[in-house]
Amino acid sequence: MTLLSVNLNKIAVLRNSRGGHEPDICRAAQTCIEHGCGGITVHPRPDLRHVRPDDVRALAAMLRGRVEYNIEGNPFAAPRGDYPGLLALAREVRPTQVTLVPDSDGQITSDHGFDLSRDLDRLRPLVDELNALDCRVSLFVDAGNQDFAAAKAIGVRRIELYTGPYAEAFAEGEPDAVLASCAATARLAQQAGLAVNAGHDLSQANLGTFKAAIPGLAEVSIGHALIGEALYEGLATTVRNYLQILR
């Protein structure tokens, strides 16, 4: 079954809006695990607007040996204040997977992936270091990329398809063209020996259609919609609902 990795950034956003320690991000992770999720995702950023380095460390301590731990971020973002940088965090906590994302402070959320025809040379030394740490490397990419054999050659093991355009097209009632592009890109990646993850704006409404179009989908990372839906149905019920869709 496709693994569900729950992104907990929005738990941290709610906590940070008030200060203090509630809601507790580790308690949220525990609830997700107890109800069947196979992974936890966080995406720390240098501006500390949601998940903070101390959250990354606390989650690492509680998750080790239980479920997969996926840390996302821009490997080129310089250390700033309490943020030591993505690779420094990976050295500290040794997550199962590091998903490299070309985001910046000016983006409210990630809105594009790497261009594999352009970016692999500068990614190569970072991928080497992460592999030496025994962290599986995934690259966040847009549908339409093709240079997957080259990505595989530098040690990348997965891609994460950016599904924002699919979710938008689905909401407008016209998902077919974008979905076909995602499916074609996934096939090319798999033929090159890469596993395929997906994430961004996936929800209970659109996930089933997406999964049906992508045979062998390894993992979905879902946060914003899942946490929003949990406000109405509860976190435990919402996690179970997603798992049922993935089955």
Side-chain angles (χ1 to χ4, degrees):
M1 189 179 83
T2 302
L3 183 141
L4 172 65
S5 188
V6 179
N7 187 319
L8 296 177
N9 279 11
K10 287 302 184 293
I11 300 294
V13 168
L14 184 57
R15 177 200 62 198
N16 296 351
S17 70
R18 180 68 178 263
H21 304 286
E22 293 294 335
D24 183 274
I25 198 166
C26 287
R27 183 175 177 185
Q30 178 66 30
T31 299
C32 294
I33 293 166
E34 287 175 354
H35 293 275
C37 84
I40 295 295
T41 291
V42 291
H43 188 149
R45 285 183 168 88
D47 60 10
L48 307 181
R49 66 180 184 256
H50 37 61
V51 168
R52 299 166 177 163
D54 283 349
D55 297 321
V56 174
R57 299 177 183 112
L59 285 165
M62 73 162 289
L63 295 176
R64 200 167 305 282
R66 302 179 66 191
V67 297
E68 293 202 354
Y69 191 20
N70 175 45
I71 300 179
E72 303 178 341
N74 186 345
F76 302 111
R80 184 194 314 168
D82 290 336
Y83 180 75
L86 182 67
L87 266 68
L89 285 172
R91 290 185 205 109
E92 281 189 63
V93 306
R94 307 292 179 98
T96 317
Q97 177 173 270
V98 177
T99 301
L100 304 181
V101 182
D103 63 349
S104 65
D105 281 1
Q107 295 173 229
I108 295 175
T109 184
S110 304
D111 61 12
H112 67 282
F114 285 105
D115 180 341
L116 299 185
S117 66
R118 181 190 64 204
D119 295 327
L120 288 180
D121 283 347
R122 65 182 185 135
L123 287 167
R124 182 191 299 269
L126 309 177
V127 173
D128 286 344
E129 180 170 355
L130 290 168
N131 280 328
L133 296 172
D134 199 27
C135 300
R136 183 174 69 229
V137 178
S138 178
L139 296 184
F140 195 63
V141 302
D142 301 311
N145 270 274
Q146 298 183 2
D147 290 20
F148 298 118
K152 172 78 170 176
I154 70 165
V156 173
R157 293 172 60 190
R158 294 192 180 187
I159 61 162
E160 180 176 324
L161 278 173
Y162 169 49
T163 50
Y166 159 72
E168 183 177 347
F170 186 95
E172 294 172 352
E174 298 180 348
D176 292 353
V178 179
L179 191 58
S181 179
C182 288
T185 305
R187 283 194 301 272
L188 288 174
Q190 290 164 340
Q191 289 165 2
L194 300 176
V196 175
N197 299 343
H200 205 90
D201 287 343
L202 294 174
S203 68
Q204 290 183 59
N206 63 38
L207 177 59
T209 301
F210 184 84
K211 183 180 184 298
I214 314 290
L217 182 64
E219 175 185 313
V220 289
S221 174
I222 304 178
H224 182 79
L226 189 152
I227 299 303
E229 291 159 353
L231 294 175
Y232 308 108
E233 296 188 293
L235 186 55
T237 297
T238 303
V239 168
R240 291 196 299 267
N241 289 345
Y242 274 94
L243 292 170
Q244 185 60 39
I245 294 169
L246 292 173
R247 291 188 185 99

